[in-house]
Amino acid sequence: MVDLNLLRLIPILAKEKNVTRAAQKANLSQSAFSHALNRLREQLKDEMFIRTHSGMEPTPYAARMIPVIESALSKLDTATRGPSHFDPARDAHTFYIGAVDYFEFMFMPVLTARFKTIAPNVRLSVDILSETIKVERVENGQLDAFIGVENVQHIPHYFNKHRLISDHFVAIASLERSDLPDQLTMRHLVSEAQIHLPAVSSGADHIDNWLLSQHLYRPLATVVQSYAVGGRVAVASGYLMCVPFRIAQELAKMLPLRIMTLPEGAPSYDLLLLSHRLYDYQPALQWLIDELKTVRI
């Protein structure tokens, strides 16, 4: 097999047509270059270059090799140079993210407004998918990342975890539910009919897990797939709904809802950005991760 370090000398000599200049270009001594050329001649069984009145000219065999060698060297250079720089102000890019409703409800308005200014050609495409599908698609490179929830789903060890936000649970109900106190008790949680939005698609839920740890259960009247729908159902039905506090604040701005605190010991809601170690070295994804970690809502 021919040494690649020898092959790279062929295009150089073809361009320079002079061994001394070619040696300087290759950062070799003239004797080392001449020795390398002789090795090539022996290995390839061809003269490779012939001295003429216009300088060193490649043989027909060498001339056929030159474009192939140049193309191969160019590809090797590109492959070993590493990922290209990402400029959010100029580059066009679409990020695909699997997420939970909290992320879409709270983060997307802030991110869309921010990207409009600092990254006008960047788009976010968010899918509310099951955890299994999200993991599979991230592993296959179909999703750049997914937004998960701490303590209620399995996170593979080869995913990098970035904490985005921590929230706490409260309850919301129609303003017409004046019979309920501002501070709910366990009795209210186990007796009042409630609207349920699972934290993850498997059905696992912080509030249910918390109550179950005390051998308690709550009556669930209906299940919804988004906080916005849950808020409307709460207004229409008078049912309770346990939601993260920031979600409750936003819903109360839009709908006639009141916010009540939960009994002491209620769980927190911790949102995670999860990326695969196989892909998250890429400059564009690193930029997105940094942006998401700095969002304040």
Side-chain angles (χ1 to χ4, degrees):
M1 181 179 292
V2 180
D3 189 339
L4 288 177
N5 287 319
L6 299 179
L7 290 177
R8 73 182 182 86
L9 303 180
I10 297 175
I12 297 176
L13 184 53
K15 181 178 180 181
E16 298 297 331
K17 298 182 180 299
N18 179 279
V19 171
T20 301
R21 290 197 302 269
Q24 292 173 344
K25 193 80 171 179
N27 294 316
L28 295 172
S29 67
Q30 182 175 337
S31 61
F33 194 100
S34 297
H35 178 67
L37 182 57
N38 287 331
R39 286 179 60 196
L40 269 174
R41 285 166 171 162
E42 291 175 4
Q43 292 181 17
L44 297 176
K45 297 178 173 54
D46 188 88
E47 278 298 301
M48 301 304 292
F49 285 89
I50 305 295
R51 192 181 303 279
T52 70
H53 69 279
S54 59
M56 300 293 287
E57 291 290 341
T59 64
Y61 177 66
R64 291 196 302 271
M65 292 180 65
I66 290 170
V68 177
I69 294 170
E70 288 178 329
S71 175
L73 290 174
S74 176
K75 290 177 180 177
L76 282 170
D77 180 63
T78 300
T80 57
R81 193 182 302 145
S84 60
H85 174 70
F86 177 69
D87 182 0
R90 298 169 60 91
D91 294 345
H93 195 96
T94 298
F95 293 102
Y96 297 92
I97 300 176
V100 291
D101 190 52
Y102 188 108
F103 177 83
E104 189 172 45
F105 194 92
M106 296 300 301
F107 278 72
M108 284 300 287
V110 177
L111 288 170
T112 302
R114 177 165 170 75
F115 287 7
K116 180 181 179 181
T117 302
I118 69 166
N121 299 314
V122 169
R123 294 192 305 166
L124 282 178
S125 177
V126 176
D127 285 325
I128 308 298
L129 302 165
S130 74
E131 283 61 53
T132 301
I133 293 176
K134 281 186 279 193
V135 169
E136 289 176 353
R137 290 192 178 178
V138 173
E139 289 179 338
N140 294 335
Q142 295 173 301
L143 289 176
D144 294 298
F146 78 86
I147 311 299
V149 184
E150 187 80 284
N151 297 325
V152 291
Q153 64 184 118
H154 170 68
I155 300 170
H157 65 88
Y158 43 83
F159 276 74
N160 286 325
K161 297 197 302 185
H162 312 271
R163 295 193 178 277
L164 292 184
I165 198 168
S166 183
D167 208 336
H168 65 280
F169 278 94
V170 296
I172 57 173
S174 169
L175 284 176
E176 296 181 359
R177 290 299 307 271
S178 57
D179 57 307
L180 294 171
D182 292 333
Q183 170 79 55
L184 299 181
T185 65
M186 282 294 188
R187 180 179 61 81
H188 293 106
L189 286 185
V190 300
S191 62
E192 287 284 339
Q194 294 176 46
I195 302 158
H196 180 45
L197 172 60
V200 291
S201 59
S202 65
D205 183 81
H206 300 80
I207 299 297
D208 289 332
N209 291 347
W210 174 49
L211 292 175
L212 185 60
S213 69
Q214 304 172 69
H215 306 288
L216 298 173
Y217 304 88
R218 56 177 176 155
L220 299 179
T222 188
V223 177
V224 297
Q225 297 301 316
S226 74
Y227 290 117
V229 171
R232 295 188 64 192
V233 173
V235 171
S237 65
Y239 294 152
L240 289 182
M241 184 176 182
C242 293
V243 300
F245 177 62
R246 289 181 177 88
I247 296 287
Q249 286 183 307
E250 293 301 313
L251 290 175
K253 293 175 185 177
M254 300 183 287
L255 297 165
L257 292 165
R258 55 178 301 210
I259 301 173
M260 295 151 287
T261 57
L262 296 182
E264 185 176 351
S268 63
Y269 184 98
D270 300 305
L271 205 63
L272 302 174
L273 168 62
L274 302 158
S275 58
H276 201 293
R277 293 177 183 176
L278 190 61
Y279 305 110
D280 66 4
Y281 70 92
Q282 300 172 77
L285 187 51
Q286 280 296 319
W287 174 82
L288 178 66
I289 290 170
D290 290 340
E291 283 295 314
L292 293 178
K293 288 164 65 176
T294 58
V295 169
R296 295 293 177 265
I297 57 175

